[in-house]
């Protein structure tokens, strides 16, 4: 049986004006009035640049979202992923009707409950119990309906002892626990969640993800989920869309969407060459990052049973280059952190001018799989003056195994070789 479309987004765009508290100046208001009198289109919709947070622009208008179209079906869990500033939170605010779109239309069926930031919809002076009833009323629930779910809400939140305490005295984690419990147990048709679960502890995150799975699979309700935790997105979502600069860059199966996002939207792996403007500041200019086998070219597949080499080419402009060092964070294909490593711990000092740093991983260190590097240029061992998450992805393929060896994939992502000996 075909599932019903419960949320339809048609050509949604959202424009903001930068640098001002108000949306327009008096001259802009008069101009807009004159265009309206003449029956012409809003002139400010013809200007504006796409939302690229790391680049200066010439226009005071920016499109936080531009021409967004998608459908969400009943019982579906849709992941919305992308870098900071891609437009994820703006999209959810539009869907939750916190703000209205500049152009386009959003069609929904049923109640929407949103959890967009810590303590959304809570009044700090009211107790946790009073806020439960307040939120339920906002969702259109009767007092009787809320009372029937009250014990479940309080038990799930784990805030029984503080339920009669004003929420202004709650920790951020407690507010999230209670807010999520209210949103989940008051049976909305669409539950919208924006990253806030990251505030909770590991035990609560596990409970919350389990509850969202129950909502979607057991109760047939719809969930829109924004997170930078790719493991949670993969385990929870049935489909995902990737936002880049306010536009949909990719839409499809969850695994494919996560892979597209972590690759930075590029099919080119193993090497990236950066133009002068991208990572160029007063301290440094990052030129290139590459990963390859030591005895092979960059274009060849990386095999795990040979030495793997990470090459970083960076210009240091500072006259005190010894204040800086490079650190990398390595994540697996689910976005889980594996480990970090740095030029400082490796005993290599940066010099003024061009630096080509080589870091070698021993053979048979990596399992086959996809890996992602995040780059940091650290000043005085404590401050990141340059940081880019998932700056490069690389894939390690399985090398030739010895005949008679274990033929399946070993558990985990790395295969370190430890020192064994007899203690006698």
């Amino acid at each position: 049986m075909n599932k019903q479309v419960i949320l339809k987004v048609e050509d949604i765009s959202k424009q903001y004006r930068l640098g001002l508290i108000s949306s327009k100046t008096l001259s802009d208001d008069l101009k807009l009035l004159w265009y309206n009198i003449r029956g012409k289109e809003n002139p400010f919709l013809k200007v504006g640049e796409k939302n690229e947070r790391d680049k200066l622009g010439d226009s005071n208008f920016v499109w936080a979202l531009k021409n967004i179209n998608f459908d969400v079906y009943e019982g579906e869990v849709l992941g919305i992923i992308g870098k900071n500033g891609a437009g994820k939170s703006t999209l959810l605010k539009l869907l939750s009707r916190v703000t209205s779109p500049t152009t386009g239309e959003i069609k929904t069926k049923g109640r929407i409950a949103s959890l967009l930031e810590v303590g959304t919809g809570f009044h700090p002076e009211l107790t946790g119990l009073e806020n439960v009833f307040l939120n339920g009323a906002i969702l259109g629930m009767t007092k009787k309906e809320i009372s029937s779910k009250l014990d479940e809400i309080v038990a799930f939140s784990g805030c029984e002892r503080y339920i009669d305490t004003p929420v202004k005295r709650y920790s951020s984690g407690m507010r999230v626990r209670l807010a999520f419990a209210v949103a989940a147990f008051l049976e909305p048709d669409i539950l919208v969640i924006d990253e806030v679960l990251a505030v909770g502890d590991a035990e609560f995150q596990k409970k919350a993800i389990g509850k969202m799975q129950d909502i979607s699979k057991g109760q047939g309700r719809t969930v829109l989920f924004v997170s930078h935790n790719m493991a949670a997105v993969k385990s929870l979502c049935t489909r995902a869309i990737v936002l880049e600069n306010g536009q949909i860059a990719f839409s499809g199966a969850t695994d494919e969407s996560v892979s597209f996002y972590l690759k930075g939207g590029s099919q080119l792996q193993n090497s990236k060459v950066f133009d002068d403007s991208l990572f160029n500041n007063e301290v440094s200019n990052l030129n290139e990052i590459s990963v390859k086998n030591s005895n092979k070219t960059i274009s060849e597949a990386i095999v795990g049973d040979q030495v793997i080499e990470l090459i970083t080419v960076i210009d240091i402009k500072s006259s005190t280059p010894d204040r800086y060092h490079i650190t990398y964070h390595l994540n697996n294909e689910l976005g889980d952190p594996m480990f970090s490593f740095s030029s400082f711990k490796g005993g290599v000092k940066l010099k003024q001018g061009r630096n080509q740093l080589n870091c070698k991983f021993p053979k048979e260190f990596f399992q086959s799989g996809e890996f992602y590097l995040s780059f940091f240029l650290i000043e005085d061992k404590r401050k990141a003056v340059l940081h880019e998450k998932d700056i490069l992805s690389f894939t390690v393929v399985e090398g030739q195994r010895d005949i008679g060896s274990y033929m399946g994939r070993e558990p985990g992502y790395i295969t370190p070789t430890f020192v064994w000996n007899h203690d006698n």
Side-chain angles (χ1 to χ4, degrees):
M1 187 175 75
N2 293 330
K3 289 190 175 181
Q4 185 179 18
V5 174
I6 196 169
L7 174 65
K8 192 174 187 65
V9 175
E10 296 180 336
D11 214 22
I12 286 296
S13 297
K14 181 65 176 179
Q15 187 186 74
Y16 289 109
R17 181 168 185 150
L18 303 178
L20 297 175
I21 296 175
S22 61
S23 59
K24 297 180 181 68
T25 63
L26 177 60
S27 62
D28 288 342
D29 287 337
L30 293 174
K31 184 177 181 179
L32 180 58
L33 177 62
W34 176 237
Y35 270 71
N36 288 337
I37 292 173
R38 296 160 63 197
K40 292 193 174 185
E41 183 184 1
N42 185 340
F44 300 108
L45 300 185
K46 298 179 182 180
V47 299
E49 299 170 328
K50 67 179 181 179
N51 187 21
E52 294 180 282
R53 59 181 170 80
D54 56 346
K55 294 183 179 179
L56 290 174
D58 299 321
S59 174
N60 288 331
F61 293 91
V62 65
W63 290 101
L65 294 171
K66 186 71 172 176
N67 301 331
I68 303 294
N69 292 275
F70 62 89
D71 295 338
V72 184
Y73 295 90
E74 189 176 24
E76 187 173 28
V77 183
L78 178 67
I80 302 174
I81 57 180
K83 293 184 178 181
N84 292 331
K88 305 184 299 297
S89 296
T90 300
L91 177 59
L92 293 195
K93 286 176 181 178
L94 294 177
L95 299 178
S96 304
R97 298 177 182 174
V98 174
T99 185
S100 57
T102 305
T103 64
E105 188 176 7
I106 299 172
K107 300 176 181 177
T108 61
K109 295 181 179 179
R111 287 192 297 249
I112 298 179
S114 59
L115 197 56
L116 302 182
E117 54 188 59
V118 176
T120 300
F122 277 9
H123 193 294
E125 299 296 335
L126 299 181
T127 66
L129 184 63
E130 290 168 336
N131 272 293
V132 170
F133 282 92
L134 174 63
N135 270 253
I138 291 171
L139 285 174
M141 308 286 288
T142 65
K143 186 176 181 180
K144 184 177 181 180
E145 288 175 305
I146 300 168
S147 297
S148 68
K149 297 284 184 180
L150 186 59
D151 290 343
E152 293 178 278
I153 291 171
V154 175
F156 187 89
S157 70
C159 299
E160 294 95 331
R161 188 171 185 179
Y162 304 95
I163 198 65
D164 293 317
T165 300
V167 296
K168 67 181 180 180
R169 298 194 176 99
Y170 284 21
S171 69
S172 58
M174 289 171 60
R175 286 197 293 271
V176 165
R177 280 173 169 268
L178 188 58
F180 179 84
V182 170
F185 280 90
L186 293 185
E187 299 184 348
D189 297 288
I190 303 172
L191 179 60
V192 178
I193 300 176
D194 184 7
E195 195 59 66
V196 292
L197 298 185
V199 178
D201 54 31
E203 179 261 342
F204 176 69
Q205 289 182 39
K206 186 176 180 180
K207 282 176 61 176
I209 289 174
K211 181 60 181 176
M212 285 189 281
Q213 289 173 330
D214 291 342
I215 289 172
S216 60
K217 295 177 182 177
Q219 303 174 24
R221 302 182 189 277
T222 303
V223 179
L224 273 64
F225 182 55
V226 165
S227 179
H228 288 108
N229 184 336
M230 294 301 107
V233 171
K234 278 194 169 187
S235 66
L236 180 65
C237 300
T238 53
R239 184 167 62 92
I241 62 175
V242 183
L243 291 180
E244 284 184 7
N245 301 324
Q247 297 179 304
I248 295 179
F250 187 87
S251 177
T254 306
D255 287 353
E256 295 174 359
S257 299
V258 169
S259 180
F260 181 92
Y261 163 65
L262 291 175
K263 289 176 184 175
S266 172
Q267 297 304 314
L268 177 63
Q269 292 187 310
N270 306 344
S271 179
K272 277 190 179 179
V273 178
F274 308 102
D275 63 45
D276 289 341
S277 62
L278 194 57
F279 297 116
N280 189 358
N281 56 34
E282 66 276 5
V283 173
S284 65
N285 183 21
L286 181 60
N287 299 311
E288 181 181 353
I289 300 174
S290 302
V291 180
K292 69 180 187 68
N293 285 123
S294 291
N295 59 345
K296 294 187 177 182
T297 64
I298 291 172
S299 60
E300 295 179 89
I302 301 172
V303 294
D305 63 353
Q306 299 176 22
V307 174
I308 295 174
E309 186 175 20
L310 167 65
I311 303 169
T312 308
V313 182
I314 185 170
D315 294 330
I316 299 297
K317 303 175 185 178
S318 171
S319 59
T320 55
D322 54 335
R323 294 177 57 193
Y324 302 92
H325 73 266
I326 289 171
T327 291
Y328 281 102
H329 291 179
L330 184 83
N331 288 43
N332 65 17
E333 57 202 18
L334 296 178
D336 299 323
M338 304 301 297
F339 55 84
S340 65
F341 55 102
S342 70
S343 60
F344 174 76
K345 290 183 179 180
V348 175
K349 293 184 178 181
L350 295 176
K351 60 183 181 180
Q352 190 173 19
R354 180 182 175 86
N355 294 261
Q356 178 170 318
L357 305 184
N358 291 26
C359 177
K360 293 184 178 181
F361 301 97
K363 62 181 181 180
E364 298 181 343
F365 179 79
F366 284 105
Q367 287 267 49
S368 59
E370 203 164 0
F371 299 89
Y372 302 86
L373 286 167
S374 295
F375 175 88
F376 299 80
L377 180 64
I378 306 296
E379 181 182 67
D380 297 331
K381 302 178 187 177
R382 65 176 185 270
K383 176 185 176 184
V385 295
L386 180 59
H387 166 219
E388 185 66 17
K389 181 177 173 59
D390 300 324
I391 197 169
L392 179 73
S393 65
F394 64 95
T395 302
V396 177
V397 299
E398 197 170 279
Q400 183 66 44
R401 289 185 181 270
D402 294 332
I403 296 175
S405 68
Y406 175 70
M407 298 304 293
R409 187 184 190 277
E410 300 284 356
Y413 290 88
I414 60 175
T415 56
T417 301
F418 299 112
V419 176
W420 292 65
N421 55 43
H422 286 286
D423 191 16
N424 54 32

